[in-house]
């Protein structure tokens, strides 16, 4: 919870294991690259995620998980502000994570903070603006028991607007990845 609270609160971060682990890793580690593997949040196969099979926890009715893609781009941007590149090293054909794809074997790259900022500057600028909007939430976003907050139309509309803003900048992830590959040489 300290990592998610430092990033704005669980209600904005997304209350599921993949995001909690991501925020924790960015908060507590100094890794330049963190690779996600088997965390695609797609539940239509025999082996669907890091713990094999099970119920689709991220698909439960939870106000913090209305858009896994929005929460994914938020985590990606948060990591970049901390000098960390998040990549998806899964070999699955589909994923709810919007991170650039990079094979696990190739995730040994060590980008500098300036390379990350240079490659994703447009995304970081938009993300900073969205985070400023989050601060204006009509509720206490740092409540760890966020599910006890009343589900008012104002709260729902606010969260939907924030998710739409994050979703709108997803194309900047791929544009930044292209710039990044030119900066550090072609990544596989």
């Amino acid at each position: 919870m300290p990592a998610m609270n430092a990033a704005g609160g669980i209600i904005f971060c997304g209350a599921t294991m993949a995001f909690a682990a991501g925020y924790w890793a960015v908060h507590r580690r100094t890794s330049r690259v963190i690779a996600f593997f088997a965390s695609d949040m797609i539940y239509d196969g025999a082996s669907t995620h890091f713990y094999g099979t099970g119920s689709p926890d991220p698909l439960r009715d939870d106000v913090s998980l209305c858009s896994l893609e929005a929460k994914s781009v938020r985590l990606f941007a948060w990591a970049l502000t901390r000098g960390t590149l998040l990549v998806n090293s899964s070999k699955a054909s589909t994923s709810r994570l919007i991170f650039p794809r990079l094979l696990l074997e190739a995730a040994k790259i060590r980008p500098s903070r300036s390379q990350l900022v240079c490659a994703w500057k447009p995304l970081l600028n938009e993300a900073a603006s969205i985070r400023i909007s989050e601060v204006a939430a009509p509720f206490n976003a740092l409540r760890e028991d966020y599910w006890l907050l009343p589900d008012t139309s104002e709260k729902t509309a606010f969260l939907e607007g924030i998710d739409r803003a994050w979703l709108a900048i997803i194309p900047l992830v791929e544009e930044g990845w292209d710039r990044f590959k030119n900066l550090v040489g072609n990544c596989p």
Side-chain angles (χ1 to χ4, degrees):
M1 285 311 300
M4 292 180 116
N5 282 340
I10 192 170
I11 199 164
F12 291 123
C13 295
T16 193
M17 181 68 80
F19 299 138
Y23 281 101
W24 178 86
V26 169
H27 187 71
R28 298 289 295 177
R29 299 289 172 223
T30 57
S31 304
R32 288 286 183 208
V33 177
I34 296 175
F36 279 64
F37 187 80
S39 296
D40 295 298
M41 295 181 274
I42 303 293
Y43 298 90
D44 59 1
S47 181
T48 61
H49 41 283
F50 60 90
Y51 47 78
T53 59
S55 62
D57 178 64
L59 303 179
R60 71 186 186 278
D61 186 21
D62 187 297
V63 70
S64 81
L65 297 172
C66 292
S67 173
L68 296 176
E69 291 78 7
K71 301 309 184 205
S72 177
V73 72
R74 186 187 192 283
L75 173 57
F76 181 78
W78 182 257
L80 288 175
T81 66
R82 303 299 181 267
T84 300
L85 173 63
L86 301 180
V87 296
N88 184 348
S89 293
S90 173
K91 294 181 182 176
S93 60
T94 58
S95 181
R96 306 292 296 273
L97 294 177
I98 56 79
F99 311 155
R101 295 283 187 144
L102 185 65
L103 296 175
L104 200 52
E105 306 81 51
K108 296 174 186 155
I109 58 174
R110 296 213 21 99
S112 69
R113 186 181 200 107
S114 63
Q115 287 172 320
L116 296 175
V117 169
C118 182
W120 280 282
K121 189 159 186 62
L123 179 133
L124 290 169
N125 289 340
E126 292 296 323
S129 177
I130 298 166
R131 281 196 301 276
I132 288 169
S133 297
E134 288 178 347
V135 173
F139 49 81
N140 179 358
L142 297 180
R143 278 186 64 162
E144 293 179 14
D145 61 350
Y146 68 92
W147 59 89
L148 296 178
L149 292 168
D151 284 331
T152 64
S153 58
E154 181 184 27
K155 176 180 125 186
T156 302
F158 184 85
L159 290 171
E160 287 172 353
I162 293 294
D163 278 354
R164 278 193 306 277
W166 286 114
L167 290 170
I169 68 171
I170 287 175
L172 298 177
V173 174
E174 193 61 37
E175 290 173 21
W177 182 237
D178 290 340
R179 282 190 295 275
F180 177 76
K181 290 188 290 187
N182 288 329
L183 284 171
V184 297
N186 282 335
C187 296

